[in-house]
Amino acid sequence: SGSGYLCSLVAYMLGVRAGDDEPLGVVHGIDYFEDNVESAKSHTAAWRQSILNSPTPHPKRLPEIEYICGNGYQLDPASSMKYDLIYVGAAVPMVRKSFLREFLSTNEGSVLVAPVDAAFLKIVRLKDGTFQEQVICQVAFAPMLDPPGLTAPPMFTIKPQIAPAPGIPSVFISG
């Protein structure tokens, strides 16, 4: 989740359904460090308040952003929610790529964007359930941290506080 900037931007881009102000998505952000999660929550609250107070027309209701403190490698893909869009903001080794793909929804066009080794990859789920990969560019990101001292990390689950309605996009952002 980092500073909360990207989660806030995505929530704003998802917006609300015209006419009924229902949020058009679910946004989850995860970060390994509690102080980053608290900072992201604070920044998001200030951002939401600035939108409410702005003279410029903005949606008055936006998708909620749920921030979680944890290690992305400890997520349980069998019981966690699946996402239409995943952005990973820390480098992952090639051997972890298939683990991350397990969190993509089964919807055609679901996208995972992540720095894998030194390549920024875009992975798209195709209609037949296979994946298409594209190297966007070469990058250097700090690595996603492995849980310290654990050989078999305990797993945890992310479930939305409010389940998205069918056809409503879900977004996961990991810092």
Side-chain angles (χ1 to χ4, degrees):
S1 65
S3 68
Y5 173 78
L6 189 56
C7 287
S8 297
L9 179 63
V10 168
Y12 190 83
M13 289 170 47
L14 288 173
V16 294
R17 186 174 24 235
D20 63 8
D21 275 348
E22 281 300 309
L24 285 178
V26 172
V27 180
H28 289 148
I30 186 170
D31 200 287
Y32 187 81
F33 298 104
E34 182 66 37
D35 58 335
N36 286 353
V37 170
E38 293 307 314
S39 178
K41 288 178 181 179
S42 174
H43 289 137
T44 299
W47 166 73
R48 283 184 185 276
Q49 193 59 47
S50 72
I51 285 178
L52 291 174
N53 296 334
S54 173
T56 306
H58 294 285
K60 296 302 181 190
R61 186 155 182 247
L62 294 168
E64 289 300 318
I65 302 169
E66 294 179 44
Y67 291 107
I68 299 104
C69 184
N71 187 299
Y73 290 146
Q74 292 177 282
L75 286 169
D76 182 2
S79 61
S80 287
M81 128 172 224
K82 305 303 183 217
Y83 297 91
D84 299 305
L85 176 61
I86 299 172
Y87 169 80
V88 179
V92 295
M94 188 64 71
V95 296
R96 299 280 196 162
K97 181 176 67 173
S98 61
F99 172 76
L100 294 174
R101 286 193 321 218
E102 291 184 58
F103 294 95
L104 278 174
S105 76
T106 57
N107 298 332
E108 177 185 3
S110 296
V111 177
L112 164 66
V113 180
V116 178
D117 289 335
F120 203 53
L121 290 184
K122 177 182 178 184
I123 301 170
V124 179
R125 183 181 293 277
L126 302 177
K127 186 175 187 173
D128 64 3
T130 61
F131 298 96
Q132 177 184 48
E133 294 185 10
Q134 173 189 3
V135 174
I136 297 170
C137 62
Q138 297 300 307
V139 294
F141 276 69
M144 185 182 288
L145 300 174
D146 279 314
L150 296 176
T151 55
M155 301 301 254
F156 71 96
T157 299
I158 295 180
K159 298 276 187 189
Q161 292 175 0
I162 301 169
I168 300 297
S170 55
V171 181
F172 178 71
I173 299 172
S174 175

